[in-house]
């Protein structure tokens, strides 16, 4: 026992020295890069052959340790120095993403190469996301064509779930935003993403990582408005994205309003301070066409400013205008009115007056048709009530 204890310091010292020497040799990427470059030069532009070469090489080369080097080569042709320039003292290849043709079909083929590689070697997944984040920070060091290719590739990878939308945080870098690089890159990225899937895929992925309300950060602070965002992306052919951002801003404003109203009610502030437009914001038609009053506790607040017939009519007209201006909610008009009627916010008198004479021209035929059966029910109920009163007299 004592002999073993005396030997431990000697043995530990020897192992430490061995590990240090081996570690230094193992972290030298020169030989790894030469092996990858040689293989890419032999396969050339045949991406099927490239995928097979990478698959086979993973059994011989240390992908886990040299993941960054591997991805640098596949994207830029060699190891990248800080800022995005290629290291001068290393072997390079001309067969990489940045030298490929700048079209969607070619980028889809390259996306398949990365997809196959990461599916085969699952441990590369995290390193690949870190690589994309780094490449986005290096955008200023790339040519416009190189940025376009990277943007298209990134959009395709995001659409297919190969990387998380959290990588987009790199685009909020102050220098990239200030010079307009982030916004221009985002146009190409979202176009390829939507082309591969649709705007619903974009929305779901952004919400999943809490980035659905951060798209305005693609622009400098003095241009960070819904109007500027909408014009920029609509002009670029991405109206779906501008509509999504506008809707997110509206949801954000509604949440702020709800918080403010909750605080007012907790303090017992006078309900008369709540405006008609504020009350209308509590009514939330969803994208699926269903309608809900965000919280039934707000019904007294709505009642507070619809205590007179004219106020009720004003609310009805506001709802009609809102549903007309937001085409996705055209079918929700009747559901909103019925909901507010049941919550005693709208009276049957106001609804009947709106139906017979006071409605707007906007969407008139659609909304009147939606309300036809409910109005008939109200009239019948009113007639029955009057008949019962006469019999009672």
């Amino acid at each position: 026992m004592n002999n073993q204890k005396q030997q431990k310091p000697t043995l530990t010292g020897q192992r430490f020295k061995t590990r240090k020497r081996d570690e230094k040799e193992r972290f030298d990427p020169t030989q790894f890069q030469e092996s990858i470059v040689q293989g890419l030069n032999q396969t050339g532009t045949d991406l099927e052959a490239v995928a097979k070469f990478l698959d086979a090489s993973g059994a011989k080369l240390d992908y886990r340790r040299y993941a960054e080097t591997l991805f640098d080569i596949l994207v830029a042709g060699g190891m990248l120095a800080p800022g995005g320039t290629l290291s001068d003292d290393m072997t390079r290849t001309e067969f990489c993403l940045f030298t490929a043709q700048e079209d969607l079909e070619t980028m889809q083929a390259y996306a398949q190469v990365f997809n196959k590689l990461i599916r085969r070697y699952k441990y590369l997944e995290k390193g690949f996301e870190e690589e994309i984040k780094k490449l986005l920070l290096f955008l200023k060091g790339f040519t416009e064509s190189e940025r376009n290719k990277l943007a298209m590739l990134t959009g395709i990878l995001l659409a297919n779930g190969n990387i998380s939308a959290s990588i987009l945080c790199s685009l909020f870098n102050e220098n990239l935003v200030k010079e307009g690089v982030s916004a221009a890159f985002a146009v190409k990225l979202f176009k390829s993403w939507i082309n591969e899937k649709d705007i619903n895929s974009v929305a779901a992925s952004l919400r999943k990582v809490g980035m659905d309300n951060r798209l305005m950060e693609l622009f400098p602070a003095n241009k960070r408005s819904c109007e500027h965002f909408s014009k920029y992306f609509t002009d670029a052919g991405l109206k779906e994205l501008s509509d999504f951002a506008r809707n997110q801003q509206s949801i954000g404003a509604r949440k702020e309003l709800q918080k403010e109203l909750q605080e007012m009610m907790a303090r017992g502030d006078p309900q008369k301070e709540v405006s008609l437009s504020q009350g209308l914001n509590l009514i939330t038609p969803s994208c699926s066409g269903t309608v809900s009053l965000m919280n039934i506790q707000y019904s007294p607040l709505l009642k507070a400013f619809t205590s007179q017939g004219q106020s009720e009519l004003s609310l009805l007209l506001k709802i009609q205008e809102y549903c007309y201006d937001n085409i996705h909610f055209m079918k929700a008009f009747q559901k909103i009115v019925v909901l507010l009627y049941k919550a005693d916010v709208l009276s049957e008198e106001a609804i009947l007056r709106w139906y017979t004479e006071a409605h707007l021209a906007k969407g008139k035929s659609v909304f009147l048709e939606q309300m036809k059966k409910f109005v008939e029910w109200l009239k019948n109920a009113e007639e029955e009530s009057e008949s019962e009163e006469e019999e009672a007299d």
Side-chain angles (χ1 to χ4, degrees):
M1 293 289 289
N2 292 334
N3 291 337
Q4 287 178 348
K5 287 182 179 179
Q6 290 174 357
Q7 291 174 357
K8 282 184 179 179
T10 306
L11 290 172
T12 304
Q14 289 174 345
R15 286 174 183 171
F16 178 76
K17 289 178 182 178
T18 302
R19 279 203 303 269
K20 189 173 182 181
R21 183 176 64 252
D22 290 347
E23 188 176 353
K24 186 176 180 181
E25 292 174 358
R26 214 175 287 160
F27 274 95
D28 181 3
T30 306
Q31 191 171 352
F32 177 87
Q33 177 154 328
E34 287 177 355
S35 299
I36 296 296
V37 167
Q38 183 180 359
L40 293 177
N41 288 341
Q42 289 174 353
T43 55
T45 56
D46 184 351
L47 293 183
E48 282 291 331
V50 168
K52 289 179 181 178
F53 159 71
L54 293 173
D55 185 283
S57 297
K60 299 176 288 183
L61 301 176
D62 196 347
Y63 281 176
R64 190 184 298 273
R65 193 169 295 275
Y66 294 111
E68 184 178 3
T69 304
L70 174 63
F71 292 130
D72 275 1
I73 297 168
L74 294 176
V75 172
M79 280 191 68
L80 291 169
T85 57
L86 284 167
S87 300
D88 293 329
D89 57 342
M90 303 288 278
T91 309
R92 305 180 195 174
T93 179
E94 291 300 316
F95 302 104
C96 61
L97 178 79
F98 281 175
T99 58
Q101 283 185 288
E102 188 184 325
D103 60 71
L104 204 55
E105 187 177 350
T106 303
M107 295 305 103
Q108 287 170 333
Y110 265 90
Q112 279 302 308
V113 171
F114 287 109
N115 183 36
K116 288 176 182 177
L117 176 62
I118 292 167
R119 268 188 4 214
R120 177 69 175 83
Y121 299 101
K122 192 71 174 174
Y123 58 79
L124 287 174
E125 193 171 33
K126 184 177 179 182
F128 186 51
E129 284 201 359
E130 292 303 314
E131 174 74 10
I132 298 295
K133 285 182 184 178
K134 181 191 79 173
L135 291 172
L136 298 191
L137 290 173
F138 288 173
L139 287 179
K140 284 173 62 178
F142 305 146
T143 66
E144 183 180 357
S145 177
E146 289 168 349
R147 287 198 294 265
N148 289 343
K149 293 169 196 173
L150 182 59
M152 287 189 281
L153 174 74
T154 305
I156 295 164
L157 293 170
L158 284 164
N160 294 313
N162 300 123
I163 53 176
S164 164
S166 61
I167 58 99
L168 297 177
C169 64
S170 292
L171 290 180
F172 302 143
N173 176 271
E174 186 179 352
N175 292 326
L176 297 176
V177 169
K178 185 178 179 181
E179 297 190 23
V181 174
S182 294
F185 186 87
V187 166
K188 290 283 185 182
L189 182 152
F190 284 115
K191 274 189 175 181
S192 68
W193 190 344
I194 292 172
N195 177 77
E196 195 77 7
K197 293 285 184 177
D198 53 34
I199 190 63
N200 294 326
S201 167
V202 174
S205 296
L206 293 177
R207 288 192 187 106
K208 187 176 181 181
V209 295
M211 298 189 71
D212 47 321
N213 290 314
R214 296 192 63 190
L215 293 181
M216 295 290 175
E217 295 176 45
L218 292 168
F219 298 98
N222 62 340
K223 294 182 179 179
R224 208 166 285 172
S225 69
C226 198
E227 291 70 25
H228 180 78
F229 185 99
S230 180
K231 186 177 187 312
Y232 185 92
F233 283 100
T234 299
D235 290 349
L238 283 167
K239 187 177 184 302
E240 291 170 294
L241 188 67
S242 66
D243 289 346
F244 168 73
R246 186 179 292 276
N247 185 51
Q248 289 304 113
Q249 188 182 55
S250 175
I251 291 171
R254 190 179 295 118
K255 286 180 179 178
E256 285 297 314
L257 172 62
Q258 290 167 358
K259 182 180 177 182
E260 180 184 342
L261 292 175
Q262 286 172 337
E263 290 174 354
M264 285 175 62
M265 294 182 72
R267 294 194 304 265
D269 290 352
Q271 294 177 353
K272 64 182 180 180
E273 294 182 14
V274 183
S275 70
L276 180 62
S277 59
Q278 283 179 318
L280 184 59
N281 275 325
L282 294 174
I283 304 165
T284 311
S286 72
C287 293
S288 62
T290 59
V291 182
S292 63
L293 202 58
M294 288 306 295
N295 194 320
I296 198 65
Q297 74 183 49
Y298 298 137
S299 293
L301 294 172
L302 286 165
K303 289 180 188 178
F305 57 74
T306 57
S307 56
Q308 298 178 352
Q310 188 57 44
S311 296
E312 291 181 39
L313 191 57
S314 296
L315 179 59
L316 267 167
L317 295 175
K318 283 282 188 182
I319 296 169
Q320 180 183 352
E321 190 172 21
Y322 177 86
C323 290
Y324 178 80
D325 291 340
N326 296 270
I327 192 168
H328 297 297
F329 306 139
M330 288 280 283
K331 295 180 180 179
F333 178 77
Q334 186 259 4
K335 294 178 181 178
I336 296 173
V337 175
V338 171
L339 178 69
L340 294 180
Y341 171 77
K342 289 180 178 178
D344 294 327
V345 175
L346 294 175
S347 67
E348 59 188 61
E349 290 83 4
I351 294 171
L352 292 173
R353 185 183 169 196
W354 170 88
Y355 185 83
T356 56
E357 61 181 71
H359 48 259
L360 299 173
K362 293 181 176 181
K364 169 184 170 182
S365 59
V366 175
F367 298 134
L368 291 181
E369 181 61 30
Q370 279 186 38
M371 292 295 296
K372 186 176 179 180
K373 289 184 178 180
F374 182 65
V375 167
E376 287 176 357
W377 180 83
L378 285 178
K379 286 180 177 179
N380 290 334
E382 188 177 28
E383 289 172 2
E384 289 176 7
S385 177
E386 288 176 355
S387 177
E388 288 175 0
E389 287 177 4
E390 288 176 1
E391 289 177 5
D393 291 340

